[in-house]
Amino acid sequence: MSVNKLKSVAGIQIPDSVISTQATELLLEHGTEFIYNHSLRVFLFASLNGKRNALQYDAELLYVSSIFHDLGLTSHYSSSDLRFEVDGANAARDFLKSHGLPKESLQLVWDTIALHTTIGIAEHKEAEVALMYSGVGLDVMGEGYENLSEANRMEIISAFPRNDFKKNIIPTFFSGFEHKTETTFGNIKADVCAYMIPNFHRKNFCDCILHSPWSE
């Protein structure tokens, strides 16, 4: 599979800078067609939300964040002990640092990726972070689907097909952290483990309190 040469989809320009192209090439090298299509849809949905709400944001940084947001699920970028979101954020930061981007941009992209599954926080941060969260929510759970026109929806899924997304996304998530299920403690990916593992025992916050080493 090669880099998609579409210049725009649903009225959204797809960044084609050196940084954007190299980021896409990394996704194609280490990811899958399924993750690639999902990542591009996330960028487009996030951008449409930004356009609809007249938000100012850096399209290139949002694009790179979209490209890297699930790369932490891949064997190449996955660590043994960190949340997959952090693995992806670290990879994106290293990539952009190699291109000489300022610290502020590195931190913004790191936050955009690391917080993309963090309900109740991401939507209140910078535009790129909030838009990324909204794009993921729309593609994965249909959040804000009513704001997406049929014409835009059809154009986007024609360019980047869903490929039985509902059936395949949960196993795709799980494959990225089945070797470190403890990293799902306190976040929504624990639901994925509960779905995929019979009798999965979740770590419990209240147990952590009650069994702490304090003597009282």
Side-chain angles (χ1 to χ4, degrees):
M1 187 172 58
S2 60
V3 175
N4 196 304
K5 298 300 183 181
L6 290 172
K7 294 184 181 297
S8 69
V9 177
I12 301 298
Q13 293 293 123
I14 298 178
D16 61 356
S17 64
V18 171
I19 289 176
S20 299
T21 300
Q22 288 184 5
T24 308
E25 289 171 347
L26 287 174
L27 174 55
L28 293 173
E29 178 181 357
H30 301 295
T32 63
E33 182 177 3
F34 183 78
I35 292 177
Y36 170 77
N37 285 341
H38 165 57
S39 299
L40 268 293
R41 291 194 307 271
V42 164
F43 168 73
L44 293 167
F45 292 148
S47 299
L48 285 172
N49 283 337
K51 184 177 181 179
R52 181 171 57 85
N53 291 299
L55 297 178
Q56 296 294 317
Y57 63 94
D58 188 310
E60 182 177 63
L61 295 185
L62 181 62
Y63 181 81
V64 171
S65 298
S66 300
I67 291 299
F68 274 89
H69 89 280
D70 274 347
L71 272 177
L73 296 170
T74 68
S75 59
H76 182 78
Y77 290 105
S78 180
S79 69
S80 62
D81 60 347
L82 300 177
R83 285 179 58 163
F84 86 90
E85 300 96 330
V86 172
D87 287 335
N90 288 343
R93 181 172 58 192
D94 290 344
F95 169 74
L96 292 176
K97 187 176 182 180
S98 73
H99 284 276
L101 269 67
K103 290 183 179 180
E104 294 78 9
S105 296
L106 302 182
Q107 188 62 56
L108 180 59
V109 168
W110 195 93
D111 287 351
T112 300
I113 298 170
L115 295 174
H116 80 264
T117 62
T118 305
I119 298 170
I121 294 178
E123 62 265 44
H124 301 293
K125 284 183 62 64
E126 296 87 348
E128 292 81 0
V129 182
L131 288 174
M132 176 74 161
Y133 174 79
S134 74
V136 170
L138 177 50
D139 198 45
V140 176
M141 298 181 291
E143 292 183 342
Y145 184 88
E146 67 280 4
N147 297 317
L148 185 64
S149 72
E150 183 177 359
N152 284 343
R153 174 169 53 83
M154 295 305 296
E155 187 172 347
I156 290 171
I157 64 174
S158 176
F160 305 106
R162 286 179 64 82
N163 300 121
D164 291 325
F165 187 82
K166 289 182 179 181
K167 175 183 177 182
N168 293 315
I169 188 57
I170 296 175
T172 297
F173 282 144
F174 184 65
S175 68
F177 48 75
E178 61 181 315
H179 62 294
K180 50 178 180 178
T181 57
E182 69 281 358
T183 64
T184 67
F185 172 53
N187 68 79
I188 60 175
K189 291 303 185 287
D191 293 340
V192 173
C193 295
Y195 182 86
M196 295 294 294
I197 302 174
N199 302 313
F200 176 67
H201 180 69
R202 298 171 186 248
K203 188 175 180 180
N204 185 283
F205 176 55
C206 293
D207 288 341
C208 292
I209 296 173
L210 296 173
H211 295 99
S212 79
W214 291 104
S215 59
E216 85 288 352

